[in-house]
Amino acid sequence: QSVHFLSTRTYDPRQDSIRFGELMKNNRDHLVVKALKIIDNRITKVSPIPISENMTILHGDIGLSRQIPINYLGDGILRLLSYILAILTTPNGIILIDEIENGFHYTKHVDIWKLLFELAEEYNVQIFANTHSFEMVRAFNDACINTKKDNSYLELFRHHKDNLIMANFLDSDTLRYKIENNKPFRGE
C-alpha cells in the first residue's frame, strides 16, 4: 500500500509533473483542472512544459496570451494540485497532509473538503490531515454534515498526568456542538 506525505514546505515540481503525466496517459488530467477551479476558476488547462533539458514543470492556462508556470498562481493552487495528484495516482493508498489549511482562503475550505471526500471515496484513499485552524476544522465539520459523509475527527492532546499524547474521537454532532458553544476541540 502506497503512502504519501505532503509537507507544508515541500513542493516537488518534478514529482507533480510525473504524476500529471500518468493522468494524461489515462485521459484523467481534466480532473485536475476541475479541482483547481475551486481556487481559480480562470484555469482552463494544465500542461507539462519543458523548461530545460532535464526539467518539465506544469503550466496553467488562465486566459492570457501564454500559459503561466503553475507555481506563479499561488500557494493554494500548488497545495491543492499536490493533494489532487497524490490522491489520483495513489488508488487504495494513504495520503498524509501536514497543516492542510496553508495557502487556502477560508472561504474555500468547505469546497476543498468536499472535493477531498469525493476523491478519497472514489479512489479508495485514506486521508489523514492535521490542522490547528479553527476555520478549517469548522469547514471539515460543515462538509461532513452537508455531504453526510462519515469522516472522523480526532482531537490530539497531551494527558495532564503522564504527558502522553492521547486521541479523542469526536463525531460530527459533538464537534459541531463544541464549535458552536466555544468548547475546546483542538487539544486545548
mmCIF file with all atom_site columns, all heavy atoms in Angstrom, residues 64-83:
data_model
loop_
_atom_site.group_PDB
_atom_site.id
_atom_site.type_symbol
_atom_site.label_atom_id
_atom_site.label_alt_id
_atom_site.label_comp_id
_atom_site.label_asym_id
_atom_site.label_entity_id
_atom_site.label_seq_id
_atom_site.pdbx_PDB_ins_code
_atom_site.Cartn_x
_atom_site.Cartn_y
_atom_site.Cartn_z
_atom_site.occupancy
_atom_site.B_iso_or_equiv
_atom_site.pdbx_formal_charge
_atom_site.auth_seq_id
_atom_site.auth_comp_id
_atom_site.auth_asym_id
_atom_site.auth_atom_id
_atom_site.pdbx_PDB_model_num
ATOM 1   N N   . LEU A 1 64 ? -4.585 34.168 -20.548 1.00 0.00 ? 64 LEU A N   1
ATOM 2   C CA  . LEU A 1 64 ? -3.624 35.157 -21.030 1.00 0.00 ? 64 LEU A CA  1
ATOM 3   C C   . LEU A 1 64 ? -3.060 34.703 -22.371 1.00 0.00 ? 64 LEU A C   1
ATOM 4   O O   . LEU A 1 64 ? -3.399 33.624 -22.868 1.00 0.00 ? 64 LEU A O   1
ATOM 5   C CB  . LEU A 1 64 ? -2.505 35.344 -19.997 1.00 0.00 ? 64 LEU A CB  1
ATOM 6   C CG  . LEU A 1 64 ? -2.954 35.822 -18.612 1.00 0.00 ? 64 LEU A CG  1
ATOM 7   C CD1 . LEU A 1 64 ? -1.774 35.870 -17.652 1.00 0.00 ? 64 LEU A CD1 1
ATOM 8   C CD2 . LEU A 1 64 ? -3.624 37.192 -18.704 1.00 0.00 ? 64 LEU A CD2 1
ATOM 9   N N   . SER A 1 65 ? -2.155 35.466 -22.935 1.00 0.00 ? 65 SER A N   1
ATOM 10  C CA  . SER A 1 65 ? -1.590 35.115 -24.237 1.00 0.00 ? 65 SER A CA  1
ATOM 11  C C   . SER A 1 65 ? -0.647 33.921 -24.160 1.00 0.00 ? 65 SER A C   1
ATOM 12  O O   . SER A 1 65 ? -0.303 33.334 -25.184 1.00 0.00 ? 65 SER A O   1
ATOM 13  C CB  . SER A 1 65 ? -0.856 36.324 -24.837 1.00 0.00 ? 65 SER A CB  1
ATOM 14  O OG  . SER A 1 65 ? 0.199  36.722 -23.982 1.00 0.00 ? 65 SER A OG  1
ATOM 15  N N   . ARG A 1 66 ? -0.211 33.563 -22.948 1.00 0.00 ? 66 ARG A N   1
ATOM 16  C CA  . ARG A 1 66 ? 0.666  32.397 -22.782 1.00 0.00 ? 66 ARG A CA  1
ATOM 17  C C   . ARG A 1 66 ? 0.342  31.723 -21.457 1.00 0.00 ? 66 ARG A C   1
ATOM 18  O O   . ARG A 1 66 ? -0.226 32.334 -20.555 1.00 0.00 ? 66 ARG A O   1
ATOM 19  C CB  . ARG A 1 66 ? 2.128  32.795 -22.845 1.00 0.00 ? 66 ARG A CB  1
ATOM 20  C CG  . ARG A 1 66 ? 2.522  33.823 -21.799 1.00 0.00 ? 66 ARG A CG  1
ATOM 21  C CD  . ARG A 1 66 ? 3.928  34.264 -21.927 1.00 0.00 ? 66 ARG A CD  1
ATOM 22  N NE  . ARG A 1 66 ? 4.799  33.166 -21.530 1.00 0.00 ? 66 ARG A NE  1
ATOM 23  C CZ  . ARG A 1 66 ? 6.080  33.282 -21.302 1.00 0.00 ? 66 ARG A CZ  1
ATOM 24  N NH1 . ARG A 1 66 ? 6.672  34.441 -21.448 1.00 0.00 ? 66 ARG A NH1 1
ATOM 25  N NH2 . ARG A 1 66 ? 6.810  32.267 -20.931 1.00 0.00 ? 66 ARG A NH2 1
ATOM 26  N N   . GLN A 1 67 ? 0.695  30.453 -21.373 1.00 0.00 ? 67 GLN A N   1
ATOM 27  C CA  . GLN A 1 67 ? 0.483  29.723 -20.125 1.00 0.00 ? 67 GLN A CA  1
ATOM 28  C C   . GLN A 1 67 ? 1.508  30.170 -19.085 1.00 0.00 ? 67 GLN A C   1
ATOM 29  O O   . GLN A 1 67 ? 2.621  30.552 -19.426 1.00 0.00 ? 67 GLN A O   1
ATOM 30  C CB  . GLN A 1 67 ? 0.565  28.224 -20.369 1.00 0.00 ? 67 GLN A CB  1
ATOM 31  C CG  . GLN A 1 67 ? -0.590 27.716 -21.221 1.00 0.00 ? 67 GLN A CG  1
ATOM 32  C CD  . GLN A 1 67 ? -0.646 26.210 -21.258 1.00 0.00 ? 67 GLN A CD  1
ATOM 33  O OE1 . GLN A 1 67 ? -0.478 25.551 -20.249 1.00 0.00 ? 67 GLN A OE1 1
ATOM 34  N NE2 . GLN A 1 67 ? -0.906 25.669 -22.443 1.00 0.00 ? 67 GLN A NE2 1
ATOM 35  N N   . ILE A 1 68 ? 1.120  30.085 -17.823 1.00 0.00 ? 68 ILE A N   1
ATOM 36  C CA  . ILE A 1 68 ? 1.944  30.568 -16.720 1.00 0.00 ? 68 ILE A CA  1
ATOM 37  C C   . ILE A 1 68 ? 2.411  29.378 -15.887 1.00 0.00 ? 68 ILE A C   1
ATOM 38  O O   . ILE A 1 68 ? 1.620  28.456 -15.635 1.00 0.00 ? 68 ILE A O   1
ATOM 39  C CB  . ILE A 1 68 ? 1.120  31.521 -15.837 1.00 0.00 ? 68 ILE A CB  1
ATOM 40  C CG1 . ILE A 1 68 ? 0.723  32.739 -16.651 1.00 0.00 ? 68 ILE A CG1 1
ATOM 41  C CG2 . ILE A 1 68 ? 1.862  31.922 -14.585 1.00 0.00 ? 68 ILE A CG2 1
ATOM 42  C CD1 . ILE A 1 68 ? -0.130 33.716 -15.917 1.00 0.00 ? 68 ILE A CD1 1
ATOM 43  N N   . PRO A 1 69 ? 3.677  29.388 -15.443 1.00 0.00 ? 69 PRO A N   1
ATOM 44  C CA  . PRO A 1 69 ? 4.108  28.315 -14.534 1.00 0.00 ? 69 PRO A CA  1
ATOM 45  C C   . PRO A 1 69 ? 3.150  28.221 -13.340 1.00 0.00 ? 69 PRO A C   1
ATOM 46  O O   . PRO A 1 69 ? 2.774  29.242 -12.760 1.00 0.00 ? 69 PRO A O   1
ATOM 47  C CB  . PRO A 1 69 ? 5.509  28.761 -14.091 1.00 0.00 ? 69 PRO A CB  1
ATOM 48  C CG  . PRO A 1 69 ? 5.992  29.623 -15.217 1.00 0.00 ? 69 PRO A CG  1
ATOM 49  C CD  . PRO A 1 69 ? 4.758  30.344 -15.718 1.00 0.00 ? 69 PRO A CD  1
ATOM 50  N N   . ILE A 1 70 ? 2.752  27.034 -13.028 1.00 0.00 ? 70 ILE A N   1
ATOM 51  C CA  . ILE A 1 70 ? 1.724  26.819 -12.005 1.00 0.00 ? 70 ILE A CA  1
ATOM 52  C C   . ILE A 1 70 ? 2.139  27.402 -10.654 1.00 0.00 ? 70 ILE A C   1
ATOM 53  O O   . ILE A 1 70 ? 1.309  27.866 -9.895  1.00 0.00 ? 70 ILE A O   1
ATOM 54  C CB  . ILE A 1 70 ? 1.350  25.316 -11.923 1.00 0.00 ? 70 ILE A CB  1
ATOM 55  C CG1 . ILE A 1 70 ? -0.061 25.134 -11.404 1.00 0.00 ? 70 ILE A CG1 1
ATOM 56  C CG2 . ILE A 1 70 ? 2.328  24.532 -11.106 1.00 0.00 ? 70 ILE A CG2 1
ATOM 57  C CD1 . ILE A 1 70 ? -1.110 25.187 -12.441 1.00 0.00 ? 70 ILE A CD1 1
ATOM 58  N N   . ASN A 1 71 ? 3.443  27.427 -10.391 1.00 0.00 ? 71 ASN A N   1
ATOM 59  C CA  . ASN A 1 71 ? 3.892  27.960 -9.101  1.00 0.00 ? 71 ASN A CA  1
ATOM 60  C C   . ASN A 1 71 ? 3.716  29.480 -9.018  1.00 0.00 ? 71 ASN A C   1
ATOM 61  O O   . ASN A 1 71 ? 3.799  30.036 -7.933  1.00 0.00 ? 71 ASN A O   1
ATOM 62  C CB  . ASN A 1 71 ? 5.331  27.547 -8.801  1.00 0.00 ? 71 ASN A CB  1
ATOM 63  C CG  . ASN A 1 71 ? 6.310  27.990 -9.840  1.00 0.00 ? 71 ASN A CG  1
ATOM 64  O OD1 . ASN A 1 71 ? 6.058  27.808 -11.029 1.00 0.00 ? 71 ASN A OD1 1
ATOM 65  N ND2 . ASN A 1 71 ? 7.417  28.559 -9.425  1.00 0.00 ? 71 ASN A ND2 1
ATOM 66  N N   . TYR A 1 72 ? 3.432  30.158 -10.124 1.00 0.00 ? 72 TYR A N   1
ATOM 67  C CA  . TYR A 1 72 ? 3.148  31.592 -10.093 1.00 0.00 ? 72 TYR A CA  1
ATOM 68  C C   . TYR A 1 72 ? 1.697  31.875 -9.709  1.00 0.00 ? 72 TYR A C   1
ATOM 69  O O   . TYR A 1 72 ? 1.340  33.021 -9.485  1.00 0.00 ? 72 TYR A O   1
ATOM 70  C CB  . TYR A 1 72 ? 3.406  32.232 -11.454 1.00 0.00 ? 72 TYR A CB  1
ATOM 71  C CG  . TYR A 1 72 ? 4.852  32.327 -11.867 1.00 0.00 ? 72 TYR A CG  1
ATOM 72  C CD1 . TYR A 1 72 ? 5.885  31.799 -11.101 1.00 0.00 ? 72 TYR A CD1 1
ATOM 73  C CD2 . TYR A 1 72 ? 5.197  32.953 -13.048 1.00 0.00 ? 72 TYR A CD2 1
ATOM 74  C CE1 . TYR A 1 72 ? 7.206  31.888 -11.494 1.00 0.00 ? 72 TYR A CE1 1
ATOM 75  C CE2 . TYR A 1 72 ? 6.525  33.054 -13.458 1.00 0.00 ? 72 TYR A CE2 1
ATOM 76  C CZ  . TYR A 1 72 ? 7.510  32.513 -12.669 1.00 0.00 ? 72 TYR A CZ  1
ATOM 77  O OH  . TYR A 1 72 ? 8.819  32.607 -13.068 1.00 0.00 ? 72 TYR A OH  1
ATOM 78  N N   . LEU A 1 73 ? 0.878  30.843 -9.670  1.00 0.00 ? 73 LEU A N   1
ATOM 79  C CA  . LEU A 1 73 ? -0.545 31.027 -9.401  1.00 0.00 ? 73 LEU A CA  1
ATOM 80  C C   . LEU A 1 73 ? -0.888 30.963 -7.914  1.00 0.00 ? 73 LEU A C   1
ATOM 81  O O   . LEU A 1 73 ? -2.057 31.036 -7.559  1.00 0.00 ? 73 LEU A O   1
ATOM 82  C CB  . LEU A 1 73 ? -1.371 30.006 -10.191 1.00 0.00 ? 73 LEU A CB  1
ATOM 83  C CG  . LEU A 1 73 ? -1.246 30.124 -11.709 1.00 0.00 ? 73 LEU A CG  1
ATOM 84  C CD1 . LEU A 1 73 ? -2.053 29.041 -12.399 1.00 0.00 ? 73 LEU A CD1 1
ATOM 85  C CD2 . LEU A 1 73 ? -1.662 31.503 -12.189 1.00 0.00 ? 73 LEU A CD2 1
ATOM 86  N N   . GLY A 1 74 ? 0.108  30.808 -7.060  1.00 0.00 ? 74 GLY A N   1
ATOM 87  C CA  . GLY A 1 74 ? -0.125 30.894 -5.623  1.00 0.00 ? 74 GLY A CA  1
ATOM 88  C C   . GLY A 1 74 ? 0.016  29.570 -4.890  1.00 0.00 ? 74 GLY A C   1
ATOM 89  O O   . GLY A 1 74 ? -0.068 28.489 -5.476  1.00 0.00 ? 74 GLY A O   1
ATOM 90  N N   . ASP A 1 75 ? 0.229  29.702 -3.581  1.00 0.00 ? 75 ASP A N   1
ATOM 91  C CA  . ASP A 1 75 ? 0.418  28.526 -2.732  1.00 0.00 ? 75 ASP A CA  1
ATOM 92  C C   . ASP A 1 75 ? -0.810 27.629 -2.691  1.00 0.00 ? 75 ASP A C   1
ATOM 93  O O   . ASP A 1 75 ? -0.694 26.409 -2.639  1.00 0.00 ? 75 ASP A O   1
ATOM 94  C CB  . ASP A 1 75 ? 0.777  28.949 -1.302  1.00 0.00 ? 75 ASP A CB  1
ATOM 95  C CG  . ASP A 1 75 ? 2.196  29.471 -1.196  1.00 0.00 ? 75 ASP A CG  1
ATOM 96  O OD1 . ASP A 1 75 ? 2.992  29.247 -2.131  1.00 0.00 ? 75 ASP A OD1 1
ATOM 97  O OD2 . ASP A 1 75 ? 2.504  30.101 -0.172  1.00 0.00 ? 75 ASP A OD2 1
ATOM 98  N N   . GLY A 1 76 ? -1.987 28.210 -2.703  1.00 0.00 ? 76 GLY A N   1
ATOM 99  C CA  . GLY A 1 76 ? -3.208 27.401 -2.668  1.00 0.00 ? 76 GLY A CA  1
ATOM 100 C C   . GLY A 1 76 ? -3.307 26.483 -3.868  1.00 0.00 ? 76 GLY A C   1
ATOM 101 O O   . GLY A 1 76 ? -3.644 25.307 -3.738  1.00 0.00 ? 76 GLY A O   1
ATOM 102 N N   . ILE A 1 77 ? -2.996 27.013 -5.040  1.00 0.00 ? 77 ILE A N   1
ATOM 103 C CA  . ILE A 1 77 ? -3.008 26.194 -6.263  1.00 0.00 ? 77 ILE A CA  1
ATOM 104 C C   . ILE A 1 77 ? -1.983 25.076 -6.155  1.00 0.00 ? 77 ILE A C   1
ATOM 105 O O   . ILE A 1 77 ? -2.275 23.912 -6.456  1.00 0.00 ? 77 ILE A O   1
ATOM 106 C CB  . ILE A 1 77 ? -2.738 27.066 -7.516  1.00 0.00 ? 77 ILE A CB  1
ATOM 107 C CG1 . ILE A 1 77 ? -3.911 28.008 -7.775  1.00 0.00 ? 77 ILE A CG1 1
ATOM 108 C CG2 . ILE A 1 77 ? -2.419 26.207 -8.731  1.00 0.00 ? 77 ILE A CG2 1
ATOM 109 C CD1 . ILE A 1 77 ? -5.158 27.338 -8.307  1.00 0.00 ? 77 ILE A CD1 1
ATOM 110 N N   . LEU A 1 78 ? -0.767 25.418 -5.710  1.00 0.00 ? 78 LEU A N   1
ATOM 111 C CA  . LEU A 1 78 ? 0.281  24.399 -5.580  1.00 0.00 ? 78 LEU A CA  1
ATOM 112 C C   . LEU A 1 78 ? -0.115 23.304 -4.607  1.00 0.00 ? 78 LEU A C   1
ATOM 113 O O   . LEU A 1 78 ? 0.083  22.117 -4.871  1.00 0.00 ? 78 LEU A O   1
ATOM 114 C CB  . LEU A 1 78 ? 1.591  25.027 -5.114  1.00 0.00 ? 78 LEU A CB  1
ATOM 115 C CG  . LEU A 1 78 ? 2.342  25.882 -6.112  1.00 0.00 ? 78 LEU A CG  1
ATOM 116 C CD1 . LEU A 1 78 ? 3.605  26.448 -5.481  1.00 0.00 ? 78 LEU A CD1 1
ATOM 117 C CD2 . LEU A 1 78 ? 2.688  25.082 -7.345  1.00 0.00 ? 78 LEU A CD2 1
ATOM 118 N N   . ARG A 1 79 ? -0.644 23.700 -3.463  1.00 0.00 ? 79 ARG A N   1
ATOM 119 C CA  . ARG A 1 79 ? -1.017 22.721 -2.441  1.00 0.00 ? 79 ARG A CA  1
ATOM 120 C C   . ARG A 1 79 ? -2.155 21.828 -2.938  1.00 0.00 ? 79 ARG A C   1
ATOM 121 O O   . ARG A 1 79 ? -2.069 20.606 -2.832  1.00 0.00 ? 79 ARG A O   1
ATOM 122 C CB  . ARG A 1 79 ? -1.420 23.415 -1.144  1.00 0.00 ? 79 ARG A CB  1
ATOM 123 C CG  . ARG A 1 79 ? -0.340 24.289 -0.556  1.00 0.00 ? 79 ARG A CG  1
ATOM 124 C CD  . ARG A 1 79 ? 0.405  23.762 0.566   1.00 0.00 ? 79 ARG A CD  1
ATOM 125 N NE  . ARG A 1 79 ? -0.416 23.240 1.628   1.00 0.00 ? 79 ARG A NE  1
ATOM 126 C CZ  . ARG A 1 79 ? 0.065  22.496 2.594   1.00 0.00 ? 79 ARG A CZ  1
ATOM 127 N NH1 . ARG A 1 79 ? 1.333  22.217 2.644   1.00 0.00 ? 79 ARG A NH1 1
ATOM 128 N NH2 . ARG A 1 79 ? -0.713 22.018 3.537   1.00 0.00 ? 79 ARG A NH2 1
ATOM 129 N N   . LEU A 1 80 ? -3.205 22.440 -3.473  1.00 0.00 ? 80 LEU A N   1
ATOM 130 C CA  . LEU A 1 80 ? -4.332 21.633 -3.958  1.00 0.00 ? 80 LEU A CA  1
ATOM 131 C C   . LEU A 1 80 ? -3.887 20.729 -5.100  1.00 0.00 ? 80 LEU A C   1
ATOM 132 O O   . LEU A 1 80 ? -4.289 19.557 -5.155  1.00 0.00 ? 80 LEU A O   1
ATOM 133 C CB  . LEU A 1 80 ? -5.494 22.528 -4.388  1.00 0.00 ? 80 LEU A CB  1
ATOM 134 C CG  . LEU A 1 80 ? -6.789 21.794 -4.722  1.00 0.00 ? 80 LEU A CG  1
ATOM 135 C CD1 . LEU A 1 80 ? -7.283 20.972 -3.533  1.00 0.00 ? 80 LEU A CD1 1
ATOM 136 C CD2 . LEU A 1 80 ? -7.865 22.775 -5.165  1.00 0.00 ? 80 LEU A CD2 1
ATOM 137 N N   . LEU A 1 81 ? -3.046 21.236 -5.980  1.00 0.00 ? 81 LEU A N   1
ATOM 138 C CA  . LEU A 1 81 ? -2.524 20.427 -7.076  1.00 0.00 ? 81 LEU A CA  1
ATOM 139 C C   . LEU A 1 81 ? -1.802 19.194 -6.536  1.00 0.00 ? 81 LEU A C   1
ATOM 140 O O   . LEU A 1 81 ? -2.056 18.066 -6.981  1.00 0.00 ? 81 LEU A O   1
ATOM 141 C CB  . LEU A 1 81 ? -1.565 21.256 -7.938  1.00 0.00 ? 81 LEU A CB  1
ATOM 142 C CG  . LEU A 1 81 ? -0.841 20.513 -9.052  1.00 0.00 ? 81 LEU A CG  1
ATOM 143 C CD1 . LEU A 1 81 ? -1.825 20.068 -10.124 1.00 0.00 ? 81 LEU A CD1 1
ATOM 144 C CD2 . LEU A 1 81 ? 0.242  21.397 -9.654  1.00 0.00 ? 81 LEU A CD2 1
ATOM 145 N N   . SER A 1 82 ? -0.932 19.386 -5.553  1.00 0.00 ? 82 SER A N   1
ATOM 146 C CA  . SER A 1 82 ? -0.193 18.253 -4.975  1.00 0.00 ? 82 SER A CA  1
ATOM 147 C C   . SER A 1 82 ? -1.144 17.259 -4.309  1.00 0.00 ? 82 SER A C   1
ATOM 148 O O   . SER A 1 82 ? -0.966 16.043 -4.429  1.00 0.00 ? 82 SER A O   1
ATOM 149 C CB  . SER A 1 82 ? 0.840  18.746 -3.971  1.00 0.00 ? 82 SER A CB  1
ATOM 150 O OG  . SER A 1 82 ? 1.861  19.442 -4.647  1.00 0.00 ? 82 SER A OG  1
ATOM 151 N N   . TYR A 1 83 ? -2.156 17.757 -3.599  1.00 0.00 ? 83 TYR A N   1
ATOM 152 C CA  . TYR A 1 83 ? -3.125 16.855 -2.947  1.00 0.00 ? 83 TYR A CA  1
ATOM 153 C C   . TYR A 1 83 ? -3.849 16.016 -3.991  1.00 0.00 ? 83 TYR A C   1
ATOM 154 O O   . TYR A 1 83 ? -3.957 14.794 -3.855  1.00 0.00 ? 83 TYR A O   1
ATOM 155 C CB  . TYR A 1 83 ? -4.186 17.631 -2.163  1.00 0.00 ? 83 TYR A CB  1
ATOM 156 C CG  . TYR A 1 83 ? -3.704 18.512 -1.053  1.00 0.00 ? 83 TYR A CG  1
ATOM 157 C CD1 . TYR A 1 83 ? -4.566 19.421 -0.471  1.00 0.00 ? 83 TYR A CD1 1
ATOM 158 C CD2 . TYR A 1 83 ? -2.396 18.470 -0.564  1.00 0.00 ? 83 TYR A CD2 1
ATOM 159 C CE1 . TYR A 1 83 ? -4.161 20.248 0.566   1.00 0.00 ? 83 TYR A CE1 1
ATOM 160 C CE2 . TYR A 1 83 ? -1.983 19.297 0.463   1.00 0.00 ? 83 TYR A CE2 1
ATOM 161 C CZ  . TYR A 1 83 ? -2.869 20.188 1.020   1.00 0.00 ? 83 TYR A CZ  1
ATOM 162 O OH  . TYR A 1 83 ? -2.477 21.006 2.035   1.00 0.00 ? 83 TYR A OH  1
#
